[in-house]
Amino acid sequence: MPTDILADTTFVNLLDNKISSIEGQLDHIAQLENLKLNNMFYTFPNLSNVGSHLKLLYLKDNNMVEIPANHLPLMPKLTGIWLNGNSLAYLPDMSKIPEVEIVSVAYNRITHICSSQIQQLHQIKNLWLTGNPLRVFPDLTPIAMTLEVLGVAEVGLTVVPGHLIDPLISLHTLYLNGNKLVEFPSTNILNIDTKLKKLALSGNPITSISQHEMEVLSFVKEVNVERTQIITLPEHRSITQTHFNLTGSKFAACACDNSWVKLPGCNVTVTVDDVTCPGAAKPWSQMSYDELTSVCSPHLPVDIHDETERKCSIFI
């Protein structure tokens, strides 16, 4: 590797190369701050001679099974580390990188995270645990004041323990997609003072959202419930500028039940599959409140005793 042209560089991207070793190859890059070594190694590379200025380190998809305890302390200025797609069984010791703000260990083999490991993340803002077979939801109380983004998608959750989410008063983005949740998560962070702006629940077998749940969502700007079993949203017109992404769900299966979101002045917006109702000239998403109700009314079922069927018979 030529040394003269790289001496002053701060960013090196070597991802997807077939280099078997970088031992000594980066030593001359004294100011290296951003290093990408994705899909290259099976063991953590020796970065002892370039770690002093390193701030961002990407080691994705390397099939590494461990991070040697003596390596991370050589990178005291590290603010972000991405270890996605490896074979780690535990969260590495990060006690010697006190400035780290972004930690991603998505798609590894981590089953549990000790409270002592969480306590090491003094400045953490983004924590990605997605795709790990977590047996126990980690206690995140020690990082409640700093954590802003939490990714716990595809970890097999059947319920979200509210007492572990509630303390996260700085959280603005929560990814719970791809789990096994059948009910809407119950947590006190969804309230008038919440900082949560995005809640991702796509791919969960959730069947409904209650009136109370609509109220607690009033201050979340984006709710992603794609590919769920949700058919209707309970009417809640005082909601504050909330957008629901319902693509791939069963929403709007009955045009009458959801026509309220088309009322003038309603702050709820939805994204749905662009399918045209029977008897309508255009897709549900393009129809006004008056158009929806006029198309729907003639099709109301008659003499149906089952309350669950007492709905408009227009299906999208």
Side-chain angles (χ1 to χ4, degrees):
M1 185 178 294
T3 61
D4 51 347
I5 62 173
L6 295 178
D8 296 323
T9 190
T10 60
F11 173 44
V12 173
N13 185 347
L14 295 174
L15 63 86
D16 294 327
N17 278 284
K18 301 301 181 182
I19 302 173
S20 59
S21 173
I22 58 169
E23 191 76 25
Q25 297 296 307
L26 302 176
D27 294 357
H28 55 284
I29 310 179
Q31 304 299 317
L32 187 59
E33 295 182 356
N34 187 337
L35 180 59
K36 292 189 176 183
L37 300 173
N38 300 345
N39 195 22
M40 292 179 62
F41 306 103
Y42 289 96
T43 59
F44 198 97
N46 186 347
L47 302 174
S48 58
N49 293 328
V50 296
S52 59
H53 291 87
L54 207 57
K55 293 182 179 180
L56 304 176
L57 178 60
Y58 298 79
L59 289 166
K60 300 180 182 180
D61 303 316
N62 284 305
N63 204 29
M64 294 182 297
V65 297
E66 66 175 354
I67 307 298
N70 62 332
H71 280 46
L72 291 184
L74 301 174
M75 310 171 202
K77 295 184 179 180
L78 210 61
T79 59
I81 182 169
W82 288 261
L83 298 167
N84 311 34
N86 285 289
S87 298
L88 303 178
Y90 55 87
L91 190 68
D93 181 358
M94 299 192 182
S95 59
K96 303 300 182 182
I97 48 173
E99 298 181 22
V100 69
E101 296 181 353
I102 303 172
V103 173
S104 179
V105 288
Y107 300 105
N108 278 278
R109 299 178 181 178
I110 299 171
T111 58
H112 66 280
I113 299 175
C114 299
S115 179
S116 59
Q117 294 174 301
I118 295 296
Q119 291 172 3
Q120 298 172 357
L121 306 174
H122 306 292
Q123 304 296 323
I124 192 72
K125 292 183 179 180
N126 293 22
L127 179 59
W128 297 90
L129 305 173
T130 293
N132 283 285
L134 294 178
R135 296 174 184 169
V136 180
F137 197 92
D139 183 357
L140 302 175
T141 305
I143 56 176
M145 300 298 292
T146 62
L147 191 64
E148 298 177 353
V149 178
L150 175 61
V152 280
E154 300 176 41
V155 297
L157 289 175
T158 56
V159 63
V160 178
H163 68 287
L164 294 179
I165 294 289
D166 291 347
L168 305 180
I169 58 174
S170 297
L171 200 67
H172 64 65
T173 303
L174 177 58
Y175 292 93
L176 290 165
N177 39 298
N179 281 293
K180 300 177 182 179
L181 304 175
V182 295
E183 296 183 351
F184 198 83
S186 176
T187 169
N188 291 334
I189 63 170
L190 296 172
N191 55 51
I192 193 170
D193 297 317
T194 187
K195 293 182 180 180
L196 196 68
K197 300 305 178 186
K198 180 176 181 178
L199 177 60
L201 292 164
S202 61
N204 283 284
I206 297 172
T207 57
S208 64
I209 297 178
S210 70
Q211 182 68 45
H212 171 69
E213 290 161 350
M214 281 292 286
E215 291 173 1
V216 300
L217 287 172
S218 296
F219 302 94
V220 180
K221 291 188 179 297
E222 181 181 350
V223 182
N224 189 325
V225 280
E226 296 178 85
R227 304 186 310 281
T228 62
Q229 302 300 309
I230 293 173
I231 295 176
T232 62
L233 293 177
E235 186 170 350
H236 189 72
R237 276 178 265 170
S238 62
I239 204 165
T240 307
Q241 297 295 339
T242 299
H243 178 79
F244 289 86
N245 187 337
L246 288 136
T247 306
S249 71
K250 296 183 177 181
F251 180 81
C254 176
C256 285
D257 284 352
N258 296 309
S259 60
W260 66 273
V261 302
K262 299 284 189 172
L263 283 168
C266 181
N267 288 323
V268 174
T269 58
V270 298
T271 298
V272 297
D273 295 312
D274 223 13
V275 181
T276 303
C277 302
K282 52 188 174 181
W284 187 94
S285 60
Q286 298 175 22
M287 296 174 71
S288 67
Y289 175 78
D290 290 339
E291 289 172 325
L292 281 173
T293 53
S294 65
V295 170
C296 181
S297 297
H299 296 274
L300 286 173
V302 181
D303 296 329
I304 294 180
H305 302 288
D306 186 349
E307 194 63 31
T308 62
E309 296 295 333
R310 202 175 291 274
K311 297 178 179 179
C312 169
S313 60
I314 295 179
F315 292 89
I316 294 180

